[in-house]
Amino acid sequence: MHAIGDGVCSICGERLFSPYAVTGAPGEPRCGLCRRVEPPFARAAAYGSYESGLRELIHLLKYGGVRPAANVLGRMLAEAIATLEPEFPADSVAVIPVPLHRTKLRQRGFNQAELIARAAMKIRPRGDHLHLCAGVLERKRDTASQIGLTSHQRRENLRGAFGVAQPELVKGREVLVVDDVYTTGATVSECARVLRRAGATKVWVATVARTLKISAQHAEIGPGNEDSRMEGRIGAQPTPMAKAVGI
């Protein structure tokens, strides 16, 4: 499981294939989508590509219920956050996990984004200016699978899915949205839009993994598309990843 290297979009983190990528500022190459449409977040960073061992480790937590995996993933999330940190303000930044709908939360028993965020915060120094604010965002409805949907349909599927339960914690502040996987960006973009409407001055995004173009055929396209297939399946047999990370 290796960290993503250079050659990615400076805004969304997508892999760039053209050496002639247009720059938004000196040394800041952008992908075609970010050149055409300004995302609602300032920048997104991920630790690694959503494939192979990293994908298996995330599944071990989400679908196998192996909670100690969150500690390993938390260290990776902390590294992704560190790449954004030079651009953070000196004052407090609210760290907000992407929420699950109450139905999914009841089925799974935990929100993997929150577990990973808590693990990442534990390894940061005391007196840190990043503060975990779980419960700020709420998922108001359980969205349908994003499989086979166009970009426009994905956005429509998520429209109105999120709300801000505690707007006083985001108004006038920069916030960091965290999740396990960035796939198409539809989920974190909708979260960013909702938070900005609630008064957040700027939204950053950090995830453990990101689907890159070369790995798209293996991607989990949007929220919930693997849940029906994976819930209860991992854990039926011993997985080598658990041994590999010592859990």
Side-chain angles (χ1 to χ4, degrees), residues 40-229:
F41 51 81
R43 186 180 164 206
Y47 171 81
S49 177
Y50 185 51
E51 58 185 340
S52 305
L54 183 51
R55 176 185 170 94
E56 185 180 346
L57 185 58
I58 291 171
H59 282 191
L60 196 65
L61 172 63
K62 288 175 71 172
Y63 309 117
V66 182
R67 297 197 187 197
N71 296 324
V72 182
L73 296 170
R75 291 196 293 270
M76 297 176 183
L77 179 64
E79 290 194 35
I81 293 172
T83 66
L84 298 171
E85 200 157 6
E87 301 177 60
F88 288 166
D91 54 353
S92 175
V93 175
V95 179
I96 301 175
V98 172
L100 292 179
H101 186 265
R102 60 181 178 275
T103 301
K104 180 60 66 178
L105 182 61
R106 189 163 52 246
Q107 291 173 349
R108 187 168 293 167
F110 59 88
N111 176 7
Q112 73 279 354
E114 183 177 339
L115 287 185
I116 295 169
R118 289 189 182 280
M121 293 299 101
K122 284 181 181 178
I123 63 177
R124 295 188 61 84
R126 290 188 177 183
D128 189 48
H129 65 295
L130 299 185
H131 300 282
L132 183 64
C133 297
V136 167
L137 272 177
E138 61 177 346
R139 200 156 196 151
K140 298 161 66 174
R141 60 183 179 83
D142 198 5
T143 51
S145 170
Q146 302 267 75
I147 292 178
L149 301 183
T150 65
S151 296
H152 174 73
Q153 288 170 332
R154 291 188 187 110
R155 290 193 297 270
E156 288 300 311
N157 187 37
L158 288 166
R159 194 176 301 279
F162 298 98
V164 179
Q166 303 175 69
E168 69 278 5
L169 295 182
V170 303
K171 188 174 182 179
R173 297 176 70 182
E174 294 194 15
V175 302
L176 172 65
V177 173
V178 296
D179 205 0
D180 55 344
V181 183
Y182 180 118
T183 49
T184 66
T187 298
V188 294
S189 291
E190 183 62 21
C191 289
R193 277 188 283 269
V194 168
L195 288 164
R196 288 178 62 180
R197 285 198 295 268
T201 57
K202 187 177 286 187
V203 180
W204 307 87
V205 175
T207 59
V208 176
R210 193 205 196 285
T211 297
L212 297 171
K213 285 180 179 176
I214 197 168
S215 309
Q217 66 268 31
H218 304 298
E220 176 184 21
I221 307 300
N225 72 333
E226 286 187 305
D227 288 358
S228 60
R229 299 195 303 270

Side-chain angles (χ1 to χ4, degrees), residues 3-52:
I4 295 173
D6 297 328
V8 297
C9 174
S10 62
I11 303 299
C12 73
E14 177 60 278
R15 179 173 282 133
L16 298 174
F17 291 98
S18 171
Y20 305 107
V22 176
T23 58
E28 294 187 356
R30 295 193 180 193
C31 67
L33 181 59
C34 288
R35 293 201 306 269
R36 293 191 300 272
V37 180
E38 190 76 23
F41 51 81
R43 186 180 164 206
Y47 171 81
S49 177
Y50 185 51
E51 58 185 340
S52 305

